[in-house]
Amino acid sequence: MMETDDLENKLRRLKLVHLTESELTAYCDERLAPAARARAEAHLKQCFICKELLLLRREEQDALSGHEMTTEDVALIERLMAESAAERRAPTAWPVANAEGVPVQERLTEYLRPMVAS
């Protein structure tokens, strides 16, 4: 039988691996497989940090779920994209492409397109 002190020492040495952003998002969206969901729920019972991150994610989703894109939102996105294009033409220390050579503006457009469409 293991002594209480031994058990406590082993628990202290265990490395706690937090849930990833994608796991938290999938958990919120109820897209996790049953085994992954059980693991996430077990982790959330023990981890204050991940539990708080999950609450923040849910608050963010609730806030965004009722939001409809306005003409002001579209104008802001277009302005930011135009500024990005202007900055890309100007000398800058910022990278203009990722490792695969995809321009930043193209990546930003692909990232924002689903938000604008919804």
Side-chain angles (χ1 to χ4, degrees):
M1 185 123 166
M2 189 178 292
E3 295 290 322
T4 304
D5 289 339
D6 292 340
L7 180 59
E8 288 176 2
N9 287 332
K10 284 189 178 196
L11 289 173
R12 281 190 195 102
R13 285 190 301 253
L14 285 176
K15 187 173 184 178
L16 183 63
V17 178
H18 295 288
L19 298 174
T20 64
E21 291 291 322
S22 60
E23 287 173 317
L24 285 169
T25 300
Y27 182 83
C28 272
D29 295 342
E30 298 180 2
R31 291 184 291 116
L32 284 179
R37 183 167 188 80
R39 179 190 160 280
E41 287 173 349
H43 179 82
L44 288 166
K45 287 179 183 176
Q46 299 176 37
C47 182
F48 174 78
I49 294 170
C50 288
K51 195 181 300 184
E52 288 300 309
L53 289 172
L54 178 64
L55 289 174
L56 288 172
R57 169 104 23 192
R58 285 183 172 156
E59 287 175 8
E60 181 181 71
Q61 283 182 337
D62 289 344
L64 291 174
S65 67
H67 180 74
E68 292 186 25
M69 290 292 286
T70 64
T71 54
E72 291 84 14
D73 294 332
V74 173
L76 173 64
I77 291 169
E78 289 173 350
R79 183 177 59 85
L80 290 172
M81 290 174 65
E83 287 175 7
S84 172
E87 288 174 5
R88 194 176 75 213
R89 287 188 296 270
T92 179
W94 292 91
V96 294
N98 65 4
E100 291 81 32
V102 179
V104 173
Q105 183 178 4
E106 202 172 299
R107 291 190 346 243
L108 180 61
T109 301
E110 290 305 312
Y111 176 77
L112 293 174
R113 186 168 298 173
M115 287 187 270
V116 172
S118 67

